[in-house]
Short mmCIF file of all heavy atoms in Angstrom, two decimals:
data_model
loop_
_atom_site.label_atom_id
_atom_site.label_comp_id
_atom_site.label_asym_id
_atom_site.label_seq_id
_atom_site.Cartn_x
_atom_site.Cartn_y
_atom_site.Cartn_z
N MET J 22 0.83 -1.19 -0.01
CA MET J 22 -0.06 0.05 0.00
C MET J 22 0.97 1.26 0.04
O MET J 22 1.72 1.42 0.89
CB MET J 22 -0.84 -0.03 1.22
CG MET J 22 -2.03 0.90 1.21
SD MET J 22 -3.16 0.45 2.55
CE MET J 22 -4.27 1.73 2.47
N ASN J 23 0.69 2.09 -1.00
CA ASN J 23 1.61 3.25 -1.10
C ASN J 23 1.23 4.34 -0.10
O ASN J 23 0.08 4.43 0.41
CB ASN J 23 1.74 3.74 -2.53
CG ASN J 23 0.33 4.12 -3.08
OD1 ASN J 23 -0.60 4.17 -2.46
ND2 ASN J 23 0.38 4.31 -4.40
N ILE J 24 2.01 5.34 0.03
CA ILE J 24 1.85 6.46 1.01
C ILE J 24 0.67 7.33 0.65
O ILE J 24 -0.05 7.84 1.50
CB ILE J 24 3.10 7.23 1.20
CG1 ILE J 24 3.08 8.19 2.43
CG2 ILE J 24 3.45 8.02 -0.08
CD1 ILE J 24 3.23 7.39 3.70
N SER J 25 0.35 7.46 -0.65
CA SER J 25 -0.78 8.33 -1.04
C SER J 25 -2.09 7.72 -0.57
O SER J 25 -2.97 8.47 -0.10
CB SER J 25 -0.78 8.43 -2.57
OG SER J 25 -1.87 9.18 -3.02
N ARG J 26 -2.20 6.39 -0.68
CA ARG J 26 -3.49 5.78 -0.23
C ARG J 26 -3.61 5.89 1.34
O ARG J 26 -4.66 6.06 1.82
CB ARG J 26 -3.49 4.34 -0.57
CG ARG J 26 -3.83 4.06 -2.07
CD ARG J 26 -3.86 2.62 -2.33
NE ARG J 26 -4.96 2.36 -3.18
CZ ARG J 26 -5.28 1.15 -3.64
NH1 ARG J 26 -4.63 0.09 -3.20
NH2 ARG J 26 -6.33 0.99 -4.45
N VAL J 27 -2.54 5.79 1.98
CA VAL J 27 -2.51 5.92 3.49
C VAL J 27 -2.93 7.30 3.86
O VAL J 27 -3.79 7.48 4.78
CB VAL J 27 -1.12 5.60 4.08
CG1 VAL J 27 -1.01 5.88 5.55
CG2 VAL J 27 -0.75 4.13 3.79
N ILE J 28 -2.39 8.32 3.21
CA ILE J 28 -2.79 9.68 3.46
C ILE J 28 -4.24 9.92 3.19
O ILE J 28 -4.99 10.58 4.00
CB ILE J 28 -1.92 10.67 2.62
CG1 ILE J 28 -0.47 10.65 3.20
CG2 ILE J 28 -2.49 12.10 2.74
CD1 ILE J 28 0.48 11.43 2.25
N ASN J 29 -4.80 9.35 2.08
CA ASN J 29 -6.16 9.49 1.78
C ASN J 29 -7.05 8.85 2.79
O ASN J 29 -8.10 9.45 3.26
CB ASN J 29 -6.50 8.92 0.37
CG ASN J 29 -5.74 9.68 -0.73
OD1 ASN J 29 -5.25 10.74 -0.55
ND2 ASN J 29 -5.70 9.00 -1.83
N THR J 30 -6.74 7.66 3.22
CA THR J 30 -7.49 6.92 4.15
C THR J 30 -7.52 7.57 5.53
O THR J 30 -8.55 7.73 6.13
CB THR J 30 -6.95 5.48 4.36
OG1 THR J 30 -6.97 4.88 3.01
CG2 THR J 30 -7.83 4.71 5.21
N ILE J 31 -6.41 8.04 5.99
CA ILE J 31 -6.30 8.74 7.28
C ILE J 31 -7.09 10.02 7.28
O ILE J 31 -7.75 10.29 8.19
CB ILE J 31 -4.80 8.94 7.68
CG1 ILE J 31 -4.15 7.58 8.02
CG2 ILE J 31 -4.69 9.93 8.75
CD1 ILE J 31 -2.61 7.66 8.22
N SER J 32 -6.98 10.79 6.20
CA SER J 32 -7.64 12.07 6.14
C SER J 32 -9.19 11.80 6.09
O SER J 32 -9.96 12.60 6.72
CB SER J 32 -7.24 12.88 4.95
OG SER J 32 -7.55 12.33 3.75
N ILE J 33 -9.62 10.80 5.42
CA ILE J 33 -11.07 10.51 5.40
C ILE J 33 -11.56 10.08 6.85
O ILE J 33 -12.60 10.50 7.27
CB ILE J 33 -11.42 9.47 4.37
CG1 ILE J 33 -11.23 10.00 2.95
CG2 ILE J 33 -12.78 8.86 4.53
CD1 ILE J 33 -11.27 8.95 1.85
N ILE J 34 -10.82 9.24 7.41
CA ILE J 34 -11.21 8.68 8.74
C ILE J 34 -11.19 9.84 9.79
O ILE J 34 -12.14 10.04 10.59
CB ILE J 34 -10.37 7.51 9.18
CG1 ILE J 34 -10.58 6.34 8.25
CG2 ILE J 34 -10.59 7.14 10.62
CD1 ILE J 34 -9.70 5.13 8.43
N VAL J 35 -10.12 10.52 9.82
CA VAL J 35 -9.98 11.62 10.90
C VAL J 35 -11.07 12.76 10.62
O VAL J 35 -11.60 13.29 11.51
CB VAL J 35 -8.52 12.21 10.85
CG1 VAL J 35 -8.35 13.49 11.68
CG2 VAL J 35 -7.56 11.19 11.35
N GLY J 36 -11.21 13.13 9.29
CA GLY J 36 -12.21 14.07 8.97
C GLY J 36 -13.64 13.68 9.33
O GLY J 36 -14.41 14.48 9.95
N GLY J 37 -13.97 12.40 9.14
CA GLY J 37 -15.29 11.92 9.56
C GLY J 37 -15.45 11.88 11.03
O GLY J 37 -16.53 12.22 11.55
N VAL J 38 -14.45 11.43 11.75
CA VAL J 38 -14.57 11.42 13.22
C VAL J 38 -14.65 12.84 13.75
O VAL J 38 -15.44 13.04 14.67
CB VAL J 38 -13.27 10.72 13.83
CG1 VAL J 38 -13.16 10.90 15.32
CG2 VAL J 38 -13.30 9.26 13.44
N LEU J 39 -13.90 13.82 13.27
CA LEU J 39 -13.97 15.16 13.71
C LEU J 39 -15.42 15.75 13.45
O LEU J 39 -15.95 16.49 14.30
CB LEU J 39 -12.88 16.06 13.12
CG LEU J 39 -11.53 16.01 13.67
CD1 LEU J 39 -10.58 16.87 12.76
CD2 LEU J 39 -11.49 16.46 15.01
N ALA J 40 -15.91 15.49 12.29
CA ALA J 40 -17.22 16.03 12.00
C ALA J 40 -18.29 15.40 12.84
O ALA J 40 -19.23 16.04 13.37
CB ALA J 40 -17.52 15.75 10.46
N LEU J 41 -18.21 14.08 13.04
CA LEU J 41 -19.21 13.49 13.91
C LEU J 41 -19.03 13.97 15.42
O LEU J 41 -20.01 14.20 16.11
CB LEU J 41 -19.06 11.91 13.91
CG LEU J 41 -19.53 11.31 12.65
CD1 LEU J 41 -19.18 9.76 12.65
CD2 LEU J 41 -21.02 11.44 12.47
N TYR J 42 -17.85 14.13 15.86
CA TYR J 42 -17.55 14.60 17.18
C TYR J 42 -18.12 16.03 17.35
O TYR J 42 -18.78 16.37 18.41
CB TYR J 42 -16.03 14.60 17.50
CG TYR J 42 -15.74 15.29 18.83
CD1 TYR J 42 -15.95 14.62 19.99
CD2 TYR J 42 -15.17 16.52 18.88
CE1 TYR J 42 -15.65 15.20 21.20
CE2 TYR J 42 -14.86 17.18 20.09
CZ TYR J 42 -15.14 16.46 21.27
OH TYR J 42 -14.82 17.07 22.46
N ALA J 43 -17.91 16.92 16.39
CA ALA J 43 -18.44 18.26 16.53
C ALA J 43 -20.04 18.24 16.52
O ALA J 43 -20.63 19.11 17.12
CB ALA J 43 -17.85 19.08 15.33
N GLN J 44 -20.56 17.37 15.73
CA GLN J 44 -22.05 17.35 15.72
C GLN J 44 -22.62 16.76 17.04
O GLN J 44 -23.72 17.08 17.32
CB GLN J 44 -22.54 16.50 14.53
CG GLN J 44 -22.50 17.22 13.23
CD GLN J 44 -23.49 18.35 13.16
OE1 GLN J 44 -23.38 19.28 13.73
NE2 GLN J 44 -24.58 18.00 12.45
N SER J 45 -21.91 15.89 17.74
CA SER J 45 -22.50 15.29 18.89
C SER J 45 -22.40 16.13 20.18
O SER J 45 -23.22 15.83 21.10
CB SER J 45 -21.67 13.97 19.18
OG SER J 45 -20.42 14.23 19.53
N GLN J 46 -21.62 17.16 20.17
CA GLN J 46 -21.54 18.09 21.32
C GLN J 46 -22.73 18.98 21.39
O GLN J 46 -23.25 19.42 20.35
CB GLN J 46 -20.17 18.85 21.25
CG GLN J 46 -18.92 18.01 21.22
CD GLN J 46 -18.81 17.25 22.49
OE1 GLN J 46 -19.08 17.81 23.54
NE2 GLN J 46 -18.38 16.05 22.38
N ALA J 47 -23.20 19.23 22.58
CA ALA J 47 -24.33 20.22 22.81
C ALA J 47 -23.92 21.59 22.38
O ALA J 47 -24.74 22.27 21.74
CB ALA J 47 -24.78 20.16 24.17
N ASP J 48 -22.74 22.12 22.76
CA ASP J 48 -22.28 23.35 22.38
C ASP J 48 -21.13 23.13 21.36
O ASP J 48 -19.98 23.30 21.68
CB ASP J 48 -21.91 24.22 23.54
CG ASP J 48 -20.81 23.42 24.39
OD1 ASP J 48 -20.66 22.28 24.27
OD2 ASP J 48 -20.12 24.23 25.17
N SER J 49 -21.51 22.82 20.13
CA SER J 49 -20.48 22.41 19.18
C SER J 49 -19.73 23.64 18.66
O SER J 49 -20.24 24.65 18.53
CB SER J 49 -21.20 21.70 17.98
OG SER J 49 -22.10 22.57 17.36
N ASN J 50 -18.45 23.35 18.42
CA ASN J 50 -17.59 24.37 17.84
C ASN J 50 -17.63 24.27 16.37
O ASN J 50 -17.34 23.25 15.71
CB ASN J 50 -16.17 24.05 18.36
CG ASN J 50 -15.20 25.18 18.07
OD1 ASN J 50 -15.59 26.10 17.32
ND2 ASN J 50 -13.99 25.08 18.51
N PRO J 51 -18.09 25.30 15.70
CA PRO J 51 -18.18 25.34 14.23
C PRO J 51 -16.81 25.21 13.54
O PRO J 51 -16.82 24.59 12.42
CB PRO J 51 -18.85 26.65 13.85
CG PRO J 51 -18.61 27.55 15.00
CD PRO J 51 -18.46 26.64 16.22
N TYR J 52 -15.75 25.54 14.11
CA TYR J 52 -14.41 25.49 13.49
C TYR J 52 -14.02 23.99 13.42
O TYR J 52 -13.37 23.56 12.53
CB TYR J 52 -13.44 26.35 14.23
CG TYR J 52 -13.75 27.80 14.14
CD1 TYR J 52 -14.08 28.49 15.27
CD2 TYR J 52 -13.76 28.48 12.94
CE1 TYR J 52 -14.41 29.84 15.19
CE2 TYR J 52 -14.02 29.75 12.85
CZ TYR J 52 -14.29 30.48 14.00
OH TYR J 52 -14.71 31.86 13.91
N VAL J 53 -14.42 23.24 14.40
CA VAL J 53 -13.98 21.80 14.33
C VAL J 53 -14.86 21.13 13.30
O VAL J 53 -14.38 20.21 12.60
CB VAL J 53 -14.29 21.18 15.77
CG1 VAL J 53 -14.07 19.68 15.75
CG2 VAL J 53 -13.35 21.79 16.85
N LEU J 54 -16.04 21.49 13.26
CA LEU J 54 -16.96 20.82 12.20
C LEU J 54 -16.47 21.28 10.78
O LEU J 54 -16.38 20.35 9.92
CB LEU J 54 -18.42 21.37 12.34
CG LEU J 54 -19.42 20.79 11.34
CD1 LEU J 54 -19.52 19.33 11.41
CD2 LEU J 54 -20.73 21.44 11.58
N ILE J 55 -16.15 22.46 10.58
CA ILE J 55 -15.59 22.91 9.27
C ILE J 55 -14.29 22.19 9.02
O ILE J 55 -14.09 21.79 7.85
CB ILE J 55 -15.40 24.42 9.27
CG1 ILE J 55 -16.83 25.09 9.28
CG2 ILE J 55 -14.61 24.87 7.99
CD1 ILE J 55 -16.76 26.53 9.45
N GLY J 56 -13.39 22.06 9.94
CA GLY J 56 -12.14 21.37 9.73
C GLY J 56 -12.38 19.96 9.39
O GLY J 56 -11.72 19.37 8.57
N GLY J 57 -13.27 19.27 10.09
CA GLY J 57 -13.56 17.88 9.87
C GLY J 57 -14.09 17.62 8.47
O GLY J 57 -13.76 16.71 7.76
N VAL J 58 -15.08 18.40 8.11
CA VAL J 58 -15.64 18.29 6.79
C VAL J 58 -14.69 18.54 5.65
O VAL J 58 -14.58 17.96 4.61
CB VAL J 58 -16.96 19.20 6.67
CG1 VAL J 58 -17.44 19.26 5.20
CG2 VAL J 58 -18.06 18.73 7.60
N SER J 59 -13.80 19.57 5.90
CA SER J 59 -12.82 19.96 4.91
C SER J 59 -11.78 18.85 4.76
O SER J 59 -11.36 18.53 3.65
CB SER J 59 -12.08 21.22 5.34
OG SER J 59 -12.98 22.27 5.36
N LEU J 60 -11.36 18.23 5.86
CA LEU J 60 -10.42 17.10 5.83
C LEU J 60 -11.07 15.87 5.11
O LEU J 60 -10.42 15.20 4.29
CB LEU J 60 -9.94 16.70 7.19
CG LEU J 60 -8.72 15.96 7.36
CD1 LEU J 60 -7.55 16.57 6.71
CD2 LEU J 60 -8.40 15.70 8.84
N LEU J 61 -12.34 15.64 5.43
CA LEU J 61 -13.06 14.55 4.75
C LEU J 61 -13.16 14.78 3.26
O LEU J 61 -12.87 13.82 2.46
CB LEU J 61 -14.46 14.47 5.41
CG LEU J 61 -15.42 13.36 4.82
CD1 LEU J 61 -14.86 12.04 5.11
CD2 LEU J 61 -16.77 13.58 5.40
N MET J 62 -13.55 15.97 2.86
CA MET J 62 -13.62 16.20 1.42
C MET J 62 -12.28 16.23 0.67
O MET J 62 -12.25 15.82 -0.49
CB MET J 62 -14.32 17.62 1.16
CG MET J 62 -15.72 17.71 1.62
SD MET J 62 -16.74 16.47 0.89
CE MET J 62 -16.73 17.03 -0.86
N PHE J 63 -11.23 16.62 1.41
CA PHE J 63 -9.85 16.59 0.83
C PHE J 63 -9.47 15.09 0.55
O PHE J 63 -8.99 14.78 -0.51
CB PHE J 63 -8.92 17.17 1.87
CG PHE J 63 -7.47 17.00 1.49
CD1 PHE J 63 -6.97 17.83 0.45
CD2 PHE J 63 -6.64 16.18 2.17
CE1 PHE J 63 -5.59 17.61 0.07
CE2 PHE J 63 -5.33 15.96 1.79
CZ PHE J 63 -4.79 16.68 0.84
N GLY J 64 -9.79 14.19 1.54
CA GLY J 64 -9.53 12.84 1.30
C GLY J 64 -10.29 12.12 0.14
O GLY J 64 -9.85 11.41 -0.60
N ILE J 65 -11.48 12.54 0.14
CA ILE J 65 -12.45 11.98 -0.94
C ILE J 65 -11.98 12.49 -2.30
O ILE J 65 -12.00 11.75 -3.29
CB ILE J 65 -13.91 12.37 -0.67
CG1 ILE J 65 -14.38 11.55 0.57
CG2 ILE J 65 -14.76 12.03 -1.90
CD1 ILE J 65 -15.74 11.98 1.03
N TYR J 66 -11.60 13.83 -2.36
CA TYR J 66 -11.15 14.32 -3.68
C TYR J 66 -9.89 13.65 -4.12
O TYR J 66 -9.78 13.24 -5.31
CB TYR J 66 -10.90 15.88 -3.52
CG TYR J 66 -10.18 16.48 -4.76
CD1 TYR J 66 -10.76 16.54 -5.92
CD2 TYR J 66 -8.86 16.75 -4.58
CE1 TYR J 66 -10.12 17.07 -7.00
CE2 TYR J 66 -8.17 17.26 -5.66
CZ TYR J 66 -8.80 17.44 -6.94
OH TYR J 66 -8.12 17.93 -8.00
N ARG J 67 -8.89 13.42 -3.21
CA ARG J 67 -7.68 12.76 -3.57
C ARG J 67 -7.87 11.37 -3.99
O ARG J 67 -7.25 10.78 -4.85
CB ARG J 67 -6.63 12.82 -2.41
CG ARG J 67 -6.01 14.19 -2.30
CD ARG J 67 -5.00 14.25 -1.13
NE ARG J 67 -4.12 13.09 -1.17
CZ ARG J 67 -2.84 13.15 -1.57
NH1 ARG J 67 -2.39 14.30 -2.06
NH2 ARG J 67 -2.08 12.08 -1.58
N THR J 68 -8.85 10.70 -3.40
CA THR J 68 -9.18 9.34 -3.72
C THR J 68 -9.81 9.28 -5.12
O THR J 68 -9.43 8.39 -5.95
CB THR J 68 -10.10 8.69 -2.69
OG1 THR J 68 -9.44 8.66 -1.44
CG2 THR J 68 -10.40 7.24 -3.02
N SER J 69 -10.79 10.13 -5.36
CA SER J 69 -11.49 10.13 -6.64
C SER J 69 -10.61 10.61 -7.78
O SER J 69 -10.92 10.18 -8.94
CB SER J 69 -12.76 10.99 -6.60
OG SER J 69 -12.38 12.32 -6.50
N ARG J 70 -9.59 11.33 -7.53
CA ARG J 70 -8.65 11.75 -8.56
C ARG J 70 -7.94 10.57 -9.21
O ARG J 70 -7.53 10.59 -10.31
CB ARG J 70 -7.72 12.77 -8.00
CG ARG J 70 -6.95 13.59 -8.95
CD ARG J 70 -6.15 14.55 -8.27
NE ARG J 70 -5.21 13.99 -7.24
CZ ARG J 70 -4.39 14.63 -6.50
NH1 ARG J 70 -4.27 15.95 -6.65
NH2 ARG J 70 -3.60 14.02 -5.65
N ASN J 71 -7.74 9.51 -8.44
CA ASN J 71 -6.97 8.34 -8.95
C ASN J 71 -7.88 7.29 -9.59
O ASN J 71 -7.28 6.31 -10.09
CB ASN J 71 -6.19 7.74 -7.79
CG ASN J 71 -5.12 8.72 -7.24
OD1 ASN J 71 -4.55 9.48 -7.93
ND2 ASN J 71 -4.84 8.59 -5.94
N ILE J 72 -9.11 7.44 -9.53
CA ILE J 72 -10.04 6.42 -10.08
C ILE J 72 -10.20 6.82 -11.57
O ILE J 72 -10.62 7.95 -11.87
CB ILE J 72 -11.39 6.44 -9.37
CG1 ILE J 72 -11.13 6.00 -7.91
CG2 ILE J 72 -12.36 5.48 -10.11
CD1 ILE J 72 -12.42 6.14 -7.12
N PRO J 73 -9.98 5.96 -12.55
CA PRO J 73 -10.09 6.26 -13.97
C PRO J 73 -11.53 6.35 -14.36
O PRO J 73 -12.48 5.76 -13.77
CB PRO J 73 -9.41 5.11 -14.63
CG PRO J 73 -9.56 3.98 -13.80
CD PRO J 73 -9.52 4.56 -12.32
N SER J 74 -11.73 7.24 -15.37
CA SER J 74 -13.12 7.42 -15.87
C SER J 74 -13.59 6.21 -16.67
O SER J 74 -12.69 5.58 -17.39
CB SER J 74 -13.21 8.68 -16.70
OG SER J 74 -14.46 8.78 -17.30
N LYS J 75 -14.82 5.95 -16.74
CA LYS J 75 -15.33 4.81 -17.48
C LYS J 75 -15.33 5.21 -19.01
O LYS J 75 -15.44 4.38 -19.83
CB LYS J 75 -16.67 4.35 -17.09
CG LYS J 75 -17.77 5.27 -17.34
CD LYS J 75 -19.09 4.65 -17.01
CE LYS J 75 -20.27 5.57 -17.30
NZ LYS J 75 -21.54 4.92 -16.97
N TYR J 76 -15.18 6.53 -19.31
CA TYR J 76 -15.18 6.87 -20.66
C TYR J 76 -13.74 6.96 -21.23
O TYR J 76 -13.58 7.35 -22.46
CB TYR J 76 -15.83 8.29 -20.80
CG TYR J 76 -17.29 8.26 -20.35
CD1 TYR J 76 -17.67 8.92 -19.14
CD2 TYR J 76 -18.20 7.54 -21.10
CE1 TYR J 76 -18.99 8.88 -18.79
CE2 TYR J 76 -19.51 7.51 -20.70
CZ TYR J 76 -19.88 8.16 -19.48
OH TYR J 76 -21.22 8.14 -19.12
N ASP J 77 -12.73 6.64 -20.49
CA ASP J 77 -11.32 6.74 -20.95
C ASP J 77 -11.01 5.63 -21.92
O ASP J 77 -10.25 5.70 -22.78
CB ASP J 77 -10.36 6.70 -19.84
CG ASP J 77 -10.32 8.06 -19.08
OD1 ASP J 77 -10.87 8.97 -19.57
OD2 ASP J 77 -9.74 8.06 -18.01
N LYS J 78 -11.64 4.41 -21.72
CA LYS J 78 -11.33 3.29 -22.60
C LYS J 78 -12.22 3.37 -23.84
O LYS J 78 -13.29 3.88 -23.83
CB LYS J 78 -11.61 2.03 -21.83
CG LYS J 78 -13.01 1.78 -21.28
CD LYS J 78 -13.12 0.50 -20.50
CE LYS J 78 -14.52 0.41 -20.00
NZ LYS J 78 -14.68 -0.75 -19.17
N PRO J 79 -11.71 2.80 -24.94
CA PRO J 79 -12.54 2.81 -26.20
C PRO J 79 -13.77 1.96 -26.09
O PRO J 79 -13.74 0.93 -25.37
CB PRO J 79 -11.53 2.24 -27.23
CG PRO J 79 -10.52 1.53 -26.46
CD PRO J 79 -10.42 2.12 -25.07
N GLU J 80 -14.77 2.42 -26.69
CA GLU J 80 -16.04 1.68 -26.62
C GLU J 80 -15.95 0.35 -27.38
O GLU J 80 -15.34 0.30 -28.52
CB GLU J 80 -17.15 2.55 -27.23
CG GLU J 80 -17.43 3.79 -26.46
CD GLU J 80 -18.62 4.58 -27.01
OE1 GLU J 80 -19.42 4.00 -27.69
OE2 GLU J 80 -18.69 5.74 -26.65
N GLU J 81 -16.53 -0.69 -26.84
CA GLU J 81 -16.53 -1.87 -27.51
C GLU J 81 -17.80 -2.08 -28.30
O GLU J 81 -18.91 -1.72 -27.82
CB GLU J 81 -16.47 -3.06 -26.49
CG GLU J 81 -15.19 -3.05 -25.68
CD GLU J 81 -15.18 -4.09 -24.58
OE1 GLU J 81 -16.05 -4.97 -24.66
OE2 GLU J 81 -14.22 -4.06 -23.76
N SER J 82 -17.70 -2.52 -29.52
CA SER J 82 -18.87 -2.62 -30.39
C SER J 82 -19.35 -4.05 -30.37
O SER J 82 -18.54 -5.02 -30.42
CB SER J 82 -18.55 -2.20 -31.76
OG SER J 82 -19.65 -2.38 -32.60
N PHE J 83 -20.70 -4.24 -30.42
CA PHE J 83 -21.29 -5.58 -30.45
C PHE J 83 -21.28 -6.05 -31.90
O PHE J 83 -21.43 -7.22 -32.19
CB PHE J 83 -22.60 -5.59 -29.87
CG PHE J 83 -22.65 -5.45 -28.41
CD1 PHE J 83 -23.09 -4.24 -27.81
CD2 PHE J 83 -22.06 -6.37 -27.56
CE1 PHE J 83 -23.14 -4.13 -26.46
CE2 PHE J 83 -22.10 -6.17 -26.19
CZ PHE J 83 -22.59 -4.98 -25.63
N VAL J 84 -21.17 -5.20 -32.82
CA VAL J 84 -21.19 -5.51 -34.22
C VAL J 84 -19.82 -5.78 -34.78
O VAL J 84 -18.93 -4.93 -34.57
CB VAL J 84 -21.86 -4.37 -35.06
CG1 VAL J 84 -21.84 -4.68 -36.52
CG2 VAL J 84 -23.25 -4.00 -34.53
N LYS J 85 -19.67 -6.92 -35.27
CA LYS J 85 -18.33 -7.27 -35.82
C LYS J 85 -18.28 -6.94 -37.30
O LYS J 85 -19.28 -7.18 -37.98
CB LYS J 85 -18.06 -8.79 -35.66
CG LYS J 85 -17.92 -9.15 -34.15
CD LYS J 85 -17.55 -10.56 -34.03
CE LYS J 85 -17.37 -10.91 -32.52
NZ LYS J 85 -16.94 -12.23 -32.27
N THR J 86 -17.24 -6.44 -37.70
CA THR J 86 -17.06 -6.13 -39.13
C THR J 86 -16.69 -7.40 -39.88
O THR J 86 -16.01 -8.30 -39.40
CB THR J 86 -15.96 -5.09 -39.34
OG1 THR J 86 -14.72 -5.51 -38.85
CG2 THR J 86 -16.32 -3.74 -38.64
N GLU J 87 -17.14 -7.37 -41.14
CA GLU J 87 -16.76 -8.58 -42.06
C GLU J 87 -15.39 -8.31 -42.69
O GLU J 87 -15.01 -7.25 -42.98
CB GLU J 87 -17.87 -8.60 -43.13
CG GLU J 87 -19.25 -8.84 -42.74
CD GLU J 87 -20.20 -9.00 -43.87
OE1 GLU J 87 -19.75 -9.32 -44.90
OE2 GLU J 87 -21.42 -8.84 -43.62
N ASN J 88 -14.75 -9.48 -42.74
CA ASN J 88 -13.45 -9.50 -43.39
C ASN J 88 -13.65 -9.57 -44.91
O ASN J 88 -14.67 -10.05 -45.41
CB ASN J 88 -12.57 -10.62 -42.87
CG ASN J 88 -12.17 -10.48 -41.40
OD1 ASN J 88 -12.13 -9.34 -40.90
ND2 ASN J 88 -11.96 -11.54 -40.80
N GLU J 89 -12.63 -9.10 -45.60
CA GLU J 89 -12.75 -9.20 -47.06
C GLU J 89 -12.77 -10.62 -47.54
O GLU J 89 -13.20 -10.93 -48.61
CB GLU J 89 -11.63 -8.35 -47.72
CG GLU J 89 -11.76 -6.96 -47.46
CD GLU J 89 -10.61 -6.14 -48.02
OE1 GLU J 89 -9.84 -6.74 -48.80
OE2 GLU J 89 -10.46 -4.97 -47.84
N HIS J 90 -12.10 -11.49 -46.82
CA HIS J 90 -11.97 -12.90 -47.16
C HIS J 90 -13.33 -13.64 -47.03
O HIS J 90 -13.51 -14.64 -47.70
CB HIS J 90 -10.94 -13.57 -46.29
CG HIS J 90 -9.54 -12.87 -46.38
ND1 HIS J 90 -8.83 -13.01 -47.51
CD2 HIS J 90 -8.88 -12.11 -45.51
CE1 HIS J 90 -7.67 -12.36 -47.30
NE2 HIS J 90 -7.74 -11.78 -46.11
N GLU J 91 -14.20 -13.19 -46.23
CA GLU J 91 -15.46 -13.89 -46.00
C GLU J 91 -16.52 -13.52 -47.02
O GLU J 91 -17.51 -14.19 -47.10
CB GLU J 91 -15.92 -13.49 -44.63
CG GLU J 91 -15.10 -14.05 -43.46
CD GLU J 91 -15.69 -13.65 -42.16
OE1 GLU J 91 -16.65 -12.95 -42.06
OE2 GLU J 91 -15.05 -13.98 -41.12
N VAL J 92 -16.31 -12.49 -47.86
CA VAL J 92 -17.33 -12.03 -48.79
C VAL J 92 -17.26 -12.83 -50.05
O VAL J 92 -16.75 -13.61 -50.43
CB VAL J 92 -17.09 -10.54 -49.10
CG1 VAL J 92 -18.08 -10.17 -50.14
CG2 VAL J 92 -17.26 -9.74 -47.87
#
């Protein structure tokens, strides 16, 4: 597992825990909530940046072309 995946995973987990912690308090600190959500979104963005698009590969056709030898 490379270091980039570790950073992404840690930032998602820590950001989620901070956001949940800030929401569970009666007198919640908005800065902790903003920091947790920002860290969570940072990790999700870095993770999604490495996932390839389904439109990057060439489309496969179900129709096969005829060879000149078969005609």
Side-chain angles (χ1 to χ4, degrees):
M22 193 165 175
N23 58 10
I24 193 72
S25 178
R26 284 182 139 181
V27 172
I28 292 172
N29 296 345
T30 305
I31 289 173
S32 65
I33 289 172
I34 291 171
V35 170
V38 168
L39 279 175
L41 288 174
Y42 173 75
Q44 281 289 78
S45 67
Q46 299 295 320
D48 54 343
S49 62
N50 188 353
Y52 296 113
V53 175
L54 180 61
I55 291 170
V58 171
S59 299
L60 197 58
L61 179 67
M62 294 303 294
F63 173 74
I65 291 172
Y66 169 72
R67 283 181 49 101
T68 301
S69 68
R70 194 174 56 179
N71 294 329
I72 299 173
S74 174
K75 69 177 184 178
Y76 299 112
D77 286 347
K78 60 184 177 183
E80 294 183 21
E81 297 176 9
S82 176
F83 293 110
V84 179
K85 294 185 178 183
T86 59
E87 295 182 23
N88 294 334
E89 294 177 10
H90 303 288
E91 293 179 357
V92 177

